[in-house]
């Protein structure tokens, strides 16, 4: 290698995930049906928390765009962005939800 040529650090390659499998596993732990989120015009507050948890879980992996996540839940990319922001605020203020999210994340091993 010549002295003028620099080596660039290698980027870490993230483990590829199967988004549908993640949704199914997490939904099973939450005891919810993610298909309902796509079909229903309105969902309850409890269902919103579960849906937002699933969205945030996928968003945190960094492997899907907001558009791709939105397609899985029947939402636009901007709605996904909003749901992520809302869920982040919920996590900051709700220790029980934070523990639940951490538990789900560790069980799924993302």
């Amino acid at each position: 290698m010549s002295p003028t040529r620099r080596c660039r650090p290698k980027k870490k390659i993230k483990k590829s995930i199967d988004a549908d499998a993640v949704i199914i596993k997490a939904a099973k732990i939450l005891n919810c049906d993610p298909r309902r989120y796509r079909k229903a015009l309105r969902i309850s507050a409890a269902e919103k928390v579960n849906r937002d948890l699933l969205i945030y879980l996928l968003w945190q992996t960094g492997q899907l765009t907001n558009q791709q996540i939105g397609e899985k839940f029947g939402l636009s990319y901007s709605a996904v962005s909003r749901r992520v922001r809302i869920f982040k605020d919920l996590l900051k203020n709700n220790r029980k939800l934070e523990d639940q999210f951490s538990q789900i994340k560790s069980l799924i091993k993302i």
Side-chain angles (χ1 to χ4, degrees), residues 3 18 20 22 27 30 34 43 50 67-68 71 82 88-89 91 96 101 105-106:
D18 178 359
D20 293 324
V22 168
L30 293 169
I43 59 176
N50 286 341
Q67 181 69 39
Q68 291 168 321
E71 288 169 1
R82 178 164 167 68
K88 275 183 177 179
D89 290 341
L91 276 180
K96 184 179 174 184
F101 176 74
K105 191 174 176 183
S106 68

Side-chain angles (χ1 to χ4, degrees), residues 82-97:
R82 178 164 167 68
R83 300 316 311 169
V84 165
R85 191 170 53 249
I86 288 169
F87 192 77
K88 275 183 177 179
D89 290 341
L90 277 175
L91 276 180
K92 287 179 191 173
N93 301 319
N94 188 331
R95 180 74 174 152
K96 184 179 174 184
L97 184 61

Side-chain angles (χ1 to χ4, degrees), residues 21-35:
V22 168
I23 292 171
I24 290 167
K25 287 179 186 177
K28 188 174 182 180
I29 294 167
L30 293 169
N31 196 24
C32 65
D33 183 6
R35 294 173 295 187

Side-chain angles (χ1 to χ4, degrees), residues 66-83:
N66 287 357
Q67 181 69 39
Q68 291 168 321
I69 295 169
E71 288 169 1
K72 303 214 177 281
F73 294 94
L75 299 171
S76 68
Y77 71 91
S78 60
V80 169
S81 179
R82 178 164 167 68
R83 300 316 311 169

Side-chain angles (χ1 to χ4, degrees), residues 55-69:
I55 289 170
Y56 187 70
L57 190 64
L58 291 177
W59 179 83
Q60 251 200 344
T61 66
Q63 293 190 4
L64 299 171
T65 65
N66 287 357
Q67 181 69 39
Q68 291 168 321
I69 295 169

